[in-house]
Amino acid sequence: MKHGTLIILLIAAALAGGGAYYWDSRQPRGQVLTLGGNVDIREVNLSFRVAGRVDRVEVDEGDRVVAGQVVARIDPEPLRQALAQADGALAAAQANEALLKAGTRAEDIARLGAQAEGLRAAAANAQTTFERQRTLQTTNISSRQALDNARAARDQANAGLEAAQQAYLAARNGARPEELAQAAAQRQAAQAQRDAADLQLHDATLASPSAGTVLTRAVEPGTMVAAGTTVVTLSLDRPVRVRAYAREPDLGRVAPGTKVLVYTDARPGEPYAGTVGFVSPRAEFTPKQVETQDLRTALVYRLRIVVDNADDRLRQGMPVTVRLADEAQPKP
């Protein structure tokens, strides 16, 4: 039993060694590194940051746009009204803060002082009346009711005097620091609401962030859209990238910054110049859409190549061949 097991192990080792030798003998020696890949052009879904009714769509599918070009607009009238309301609230908050900072006018302070003096005299008279009624009541000349009325009149006059004195002191001393801080906070809140309303009005116009080609026109005028609803899908002109894959033994030849040539079937004799910009740190299985000379189940590393002289003939998903620029260029 042990002898049979030993024979099986020897046969397996011989097969593994032979397979390794065969695989190694099949690898190209001194050949130009050739990688398969696809054009990877970025797309962006343009949408409004505010909800509303679409007023106009300025572009159609296939149109080329430049950075900053308006592609669609939302009906701005509700947003204009919201901005006008916010302007009014801000003006009121600013006026209230300015009023507190300025303090009470001298004329008002003088008026409150005179009013306090008048109430002081009235309080003194009420006190005198109360004293008289109390004296008369002890001699049974005045009634108990008259004394109670005099006491109430005195207390009312004293309360009015106290209120007038406090109003006079408040007018003369001005607003408290806490009141000024509150007014400033209210003004800042109103300013923030006004800025938000102005931003929403600005967001009623949708502009392209960069140059590109319109792929999809998703809505039409009159459509009610929510914030974030895709209005136009744009294919960006720049940058144009190529997604390629390299085996682990070839990673040293395709480090970031390496210059490469990108070949397409449409112009095999006119390669595009490119630069390796990114090498994935993680291995993956070769995607089925990529044709390589290795087995599809081989582990590879993804590369991102930026095409330096891209033109309109590079299309999304187009298969390409990548070779190192400093190596001898084989015939396409």
Side-chain angles (χ1 to χ4, degrees):
M1 184 66 179
K2 293 182 178 179
H3 181 69
T5 303
L6 179 60
I7 293 175
I8 294 175
L9 291 177
L10 290 175
I11 294 174
L15 290 175
Y21 174 80
Y22 174 79
W23 173 258
D24 182 74
S25 65
R26 298 284 294 176
Q27 302 308 304
R29 303 297 181 183
Q31 292 186 2
V32 175
L33 178 63
T34 301
L35 306 176
N38 299 88
V39 176
D40 185 17
I41 300 176
R42 300 296 175 89
E43 298 178 2
V44 57
N45 295 322
L46 303 184
S47 58
F48 292 103
R49 290 199 298 185
V50 294
R53 181 175 60 84
V54 177
D55 186 32
R56 285 182 290 172
V57 180
E58 306 283 357
V59 296
D60 206 345
E61 295 177 355
D63 290 350
R64 294 187 59 83
V65 298
V66 298
Q69 180 178 338
V70 174
V71 297
R73 301 178 189 272
I74 279 182
D75 181 11
E77 189 56 34
L79 302 175
R80 288 198 186 104
Q81 295 178 1
L83 178 59
Q85 184 177 5
D87 282 335
L90 175 60
Q94 290 173 334
N96 181 61
E97 183 182 20
L99 182 63
L100 289 177
K101 286 182 177 180
T104 308
R105 295 180 300 177
E107 296 85 350
D108 293 334
I109 294 176
R111 176 179 56 80
L112 291 173
Q115 183 178 359
E117 288 299 324
L119 290 175
R120 183 176 290 107
N125 182 62
Q127 180 65 31
T128 302
T129 302
F130 170 72
E131 294 293 343
R132 183 183 301 111
Q133 289 296 329
R134 185 168 58 178
T135 302
L136 293 176
Q137 202 274 334
T138 57
T139 59
N140 295 324
I141 298 176
S142 176
S143 64
R144 181 69 181 183
Q145 182 63 44
L147 178 62
D148 291 341
N149 292 340
R151 181 182 291 108
R154 181 203 60 181
D155 293 342
Q156 184 177 2
N158 288 336
L161 174 61
E162 180 64 21
Q165 288 176 334
Q166 294 299 325
Y168 170 73
L169 291 176
R172 190 178 64 179
N173 295 333
R176 294 177 297 176
E178 295 80 3
E179 292 174 333
L180 293 175
Q182 182 184 34
Q186 291 173 345
R187 187 254 309 158
Q188 291 173 357
Q191 180 68 58
Q193 292 177 352
R194 194 269 173 197
D195 292 342
D198 183 59
L199 179 61
Q200 288 184 335
L201 179 60
H202 178 268
D203 288 340
T205 300
L206 180 61
S208 174
S210 57
T213 302
V214 177
L215 296 181
T216 305
R217 172 171 164 162
V219 301
E220 296 298 328
T223 305
M224 292 296 298
V225 295
T229 300
T230 298
V231 176
V232 169
T233 300
L234 188 68
S235 174
L236 302 181
D237 285 348
R238 297 291 183 274
V240 175
R241 299 181 174 93
V242 168
R243 184 188 298 263
Y245 296 85
R247 297 182 307 120
E248 187 273 334
D250 298 325
L251 290 182
R253 304 171 67 182
V254 290
T258 303
K259 298 297 182 180
V260 298
L261 297 177
V262 179
Y263 295 85
T264 64
D265 295 337
R267 40 181 285 180
E270 302 178 44
Y272 295 92
T275 305
V276 177
F278 167 77
V279 179
S280 174
R282 182 174 58 187
E284 56 188 277
F285 287 103
T286 307
K288 292 183 178 181
Q289 72 269 22
V290 177
E291 296 291 341
T292 67
Q293 296 176 348
D294 300 320
L295 298 176
R296 289 191 180 276
T297 57
L299 287 175
V300 292
Y301 292 81
R302 177 168 51 90
L303 310 179
R304 185 183 66 198
I305 298 168
V306 179
V307 181
D308 301 328
N309 57 339
D311 57 25
D312 294 341
R313 286 178 286 187
L314 289 177
R315 301 289 182 174
Q316 173 70 24
M318 178 183 292
V320 297
T321 301
V322 179
R323 298 188 177 98
L324 299 185
D326 59 353
E327 296 181 348
Q329 298 184 25
K331 293 182 181 181

